[in-house]
Amino acid sequence: MWGKRGDMVVHTREPFNAEPPRCALAGRPITAVDTFYSRNHGPIPEVDEGLWRLEVDGLVRRPLRLSLDRLRDGFERREVTATLQCAGNRRAGLLEVRDIPGQEPWGPGATSTARWSGVRLADVLAEAGLLPQAAFVAFTAPDVSEDADPPQPFGGSIPVAKALADEVLLAWAMNDRPLPRVHGGPLRVVVPGWIGARSVKWLQRITARAEPSRNYFQAVAYRLLPPDADPAQVRPGDGVPLGPVALNCDILWPDGAAPVPAGPVEVTGYALAGDDRAVTRLDVSLDDGRTWAQAELDAPEGPWTWQHWRITVDLPPGETVVTARAWDSTAALQPESPASLWNPLGYVNNAWARLRLAGLA
Ligand SMILES: Nc1nc2c(c(=O)[nH]1)N[C@H]1C(S)=C(S)[C@@H](COP(=O)(O)O)O[C@H]1N2
Ligand SMILES: [Mo]
């Protein structure tokens, strides 16, 4: 479906929600387009590239209406390699703590990395001329989501400071090919280091505002609620809006699907610090955190990407739980337990990664 590989874990077909199995992400700094996760809240729209125009309005001196050709010809072309991660990544680990009705059990595969090409959002905003009252930049798309209450098109916003940052793109290409429809073609926002929900696909309108977007996916969903909150009673503005990605990691290989010969085994995975933080250390334990060994961190493709890591461990025969945890450049460490992180919509599970391996004698 949608040009994805046959072994994708499809959570729902309509809307289309799918992630690659962990082994498909292992050892590959850039994710192939057919392997990149896909997260949708409504039907994937078909946008006529010729008729399509990008509107820029709100608190700007000169509202703009730009065709794709105008964007391509009128602004400097930029390329950024960036990892996208959904706030629901690794929700499956929270579901083991307590049920989360109506939310999909995403594994660690709602995280993927691509080379994005387009123009800086900052350059388009400069052409429109932001007014001093503009504090947020909101994005609107045409895909109407029945998950929203009331049903509405997908949208969201980021603060002006991030919108003006060099790395934030309006992208029309992914891995040097035209941006596929399923990933937001003809044009999407790419907000490196922030939760995937802010990288709005099928971008139609950019609005400079004094306040954050009132769109359901900014004001109600993608917010961290206290554990005792009733998601059915949530009002716009409740909880903490999610923005920068939290420090996280997971194990990709071995994938736990089949036993592996006991003895020296190379264990690999990814780690991601989010926003402008960097991963500085990755520890692996075979004894539930009593002792740790440090993995080797691969150099990242750039400042906005995950880092892969590897370590050779001596896997004993029988069952072993491998635990991994990352540290970042602010000396923050991932939290130990998913129970301490559980929240009613199941976002940001960044607890230590644990994977059960069977060693063959
Ligand atoms: N218009 C629109 N943009 C969207 C979404 C959506 O449902 N509609 N999903 C968001 C979410 S939650 C994520 S994690 C990313 C996923 O991007 P991908 O499908 O290209 O992997 O797109 C974001 N942009
Ligand atoms: Mo997401």
Side-chain angles (χ1 to χ4, degrees):
M1 281 177 100
W2 295 104
K4 295 293 161 184
R5 52 195 289 156
D7 60 356
M8 293 293 274
V9 180
V10 177
H11 294 293
T12 58
R13 285 167 171 269
E14 190 58 60
F16 182 57
N17 283 300
E19 67 180 299
R22 44 179 101 217
C23 60
L25 295 175
R28 295 183 176 86
I30 306 283
T31 313
V33 170
D34 74 349
T35 305
F36 202 104
Y37 80 97
S38 181
R39 174 75 179 104
N40 301 288
H41 298 78
I44 292 166
E46 187 157 11
V47 179
D48 184 319
E49 217 179 280
L51 299 177
W52 175 91
R53 297 291 181 272
L54 175 66
E55 311 269 356
V56 185
D57 61 12
L59 298 171
V60 295
R61 288 193 187 85
R62 296 170 294 276
L64 306 175
R65 198 159 181 277
L66 303 169
S67 67
L68 210 54
D69 284 344
R70 248 300 264 126
L71 270 174
R72 284 204 174 101
D73 299 340
F75 300 88
E76 185 192 341
R77 187 189 163 101
R78 299 282 298 174
E79 268 162 17
V80 174
T81 304
T83 301
L84 291 191
Q85 181 168 78
C86 184
N89 188 58
R90 302 184 64 214
R91 178 180 289 126
L94 298 177
L95 283 160
E96 289 171 13
V97 176
R98 209 163 116 200
D99 193 24
I100 303 174
Q103 302 286 338
E104 302 307 324
W106 291 88
T111 306
S112 301
T113 301
R115 233 163 90 87
W116 308 98
S117 326
V119 297
R120 277 193 207 94
L121 172 60
D123 290 349
V124 172
L125 293 174
E127 173 133 328
L130 279 184
L131 292 170
Q133 312 91 283
F136 294 87
V137 174
F139 309 117
T140 319
D143 53 322
V144 175
S145 174
E146 300 289 332
D147 298 347
D149 180 20
Q152 60 195 271
F154 189 87
S157 61
I158 56 175
V160 157
K162 182 68 179 179
L164 295 180
D166 215 41
E167 69 274 8
V168 177
L169 297 191
L170 305 179
W172 59 69
M174 179 179 186
N175 292 352
D176 304 310
R177 308 277 303 155
L179 184 63
R181 187 175 152 202
V182 68
H183 289 295
L187 193 79
R188 79 175 299 167
V189 188
V190 175
V191 185
W194 283 47
I195 62 160
R198 307 305 172 224
S199 291
V200 174
K201 301 188 275 190
W202 313 290
L203 182 65
Q204 232 171 12
R205 184 180 295 271
I206 298 173
T207 308
R209 297 167 50 90
E211 308 285 339
S213 164
R214 282 196 235 285
N215 185 278
Y216 178 87
F217 296 99
Q218 181 72 47
V220 180
Y222 291 105
R223 300 179 78 96
L224 208 56
L225 300 171
D228 60 345
D230 176 359
Q233 302 293 319
V234 177
R235 284 164 322 184
D238 285 356
V240 180
L242 297 173
V245 162
L247 173 65
N248 214 330
C249 80
D250 215 324
I251 299 157
L252 297 175
W253 187 259
D255 61 4
V260 285
V265 173
E266 184 172 70
V267 178
T268 72
Y270 69 73
L272 178 65
D275 207 27
D276 55 2
R277 287 165 277 114
V279 176
T280 50
R281 200 174 104 195
L282 193 296
D283 304 332
V284 170
S285 173
L286 299 191
D287 56 12
D288 289 323
R290 274 185 294 281
T291 61
W292 298 93
Q294 285 178 47
E296 205 179 306
L297 281 166
D298 292 355
E301 290 289 304
W304 304 104
T305 67
W306 59 11
Q307 275 175 267
H308 286 254
W309 51 265
R310 61 197 67 249
I311 186 170
T312 300
V313 301
D314 193 17
L315 188 71
E319 202 175 85
T320 301
V321 173
V322 181
T323 306
R325 64 177 195 190
W327 300 75
D328 76 12
S329 44
T330 69
L333 164 67
Q334 288 180 248
E336 178 173 350
S337 103
S340 65
L341 295 169
W342 191 93
N343 60 95
L345 295 172
Y347 298 130
V348 200
N349 176 17
N350 71 333
W352 297 358
R354 293 178 179 85
L355 192 66
R356 201 173 292 279
L357 296 185
L360 285 178

